[in-house]
Amino acid sequence: MENKKLFDDPRLTAVGLLYEAHDGLLARLETTWKGNGLSSGLDFNALTRLSRSPGRKLRMTDLAVQTNLSTSGVTRLVDRLERNGFVRREADPGDRRSSYAVLTAAGATRVARVLPAYLEGVDRWFTNLLTPQQLEELTAGLRIIRDATAPGAAQVSD
């Protein structure tokens, strides 16, 4: 009986629902980016973050933080995006150890091509399922969680 109480914990329900909602939403949106020549949502996330950044560029280390990747993971991501012509690397003139990922014209064009279908999917499977008040409260709650768990991600995504 004690085990049942342990597993009836509402915290398990809340975090479980968050995982399930996240996974379900990504599964629904996957066809959008794959149908537009991107290998993953991570590609789209990185291109979108670059699109929204000043000068359409980010230090590789900042892109790693914002995409929750290791330095080697972001290197592989940028390598793939660079091979596809969506980004290029640019040396940081102030720090020879650092470089930027820069969105190319082809990358900006690809984001612009994917964005309408992506936003339609976001509306269908996320924002339109909630009332405006629910969406506002959810967004505020997610921002609190994000700021506590991934503070570097806040630099561009707000």
Side-chain angles (χ1 to χ4, degrees):
M1 187 64 170
E2 200 60 40
N3 264 351
K4 183 169 176 16
K5 283 184 182 179
L6 177 65
F7 292 108
D8 282 343
D9 190 314
R11 296 172 293 184
L12 292 174
T13 301
V15 78
L17 285 169
L18 179 63
Y19 292 150
E20 291 167 357
H22 173 264
D23 293 347
L25 184 57
L26 288 182
R28 297 292 184 171
L29 295 173
E30 182 177 34
T31 57
T32 301
W33 52 73
K34 288 205 173 197
N36 283 284
L38 299 174
S39 62
S40 70
L42 186 56
D43 290 2
F44 183 70
N45 183 16
L47 293 176
T48 302
R49 287 180 180 276
L50 291 169
S51 295
R52 297 179 67 189
S53 298
R56 298 193 329 189
K57 67 182 182 178
L58 283 169
R59 284 183 188 275
M60 294 282 287
T61 53
D62 293 336
L63 184 59
V65 169
Q66 291 182 27
T67 55
N68 199 31
L69 290 172
S70 64
T71 53
S72 61
V74 82
T75 296
R76 286 190 299 275
L77 170 65
V78 170
D79 285 347
R80 182 172 63 246
L81 294 173
E82 195 171 34
R83 277 193 306 274
N84 290 320
F86 300 143
V87 301
R88 64 180 167 77
R89 282 185 175 82
E90 182 179 288
D92 180 349
D95 182 355
R96 293 184 321 173
R97 298 168 295 156
S98 186
S99 63
Y100 290 93
V102 182
L103 188 69
T104 64
T109 299
R110 185 58 51 104
V111 170
R113 190 172 94 194
V114 176
L115 201 54
Y118 177 78
L119 291 175
E120 182 180 305
V122 168
D123 282 344
R124 180 175 183 193
W125 299 110
F126 182 49
T127 57
N128 287 348
L129 298 175
L130 304 171
T131 67
Q133 182 179 350
Q134 288 171 326
L135 182 58
E136 186 178 316
E137 290 171 358
L138 177 61
T139 301
L142 290 172
R143 189 168 280 121
I144 290 166
I145 295 165
R146 187 269 328 264
D147 290 350
T149 60
Q155 293 175 355
V156 173
S157 61
D158 287 344

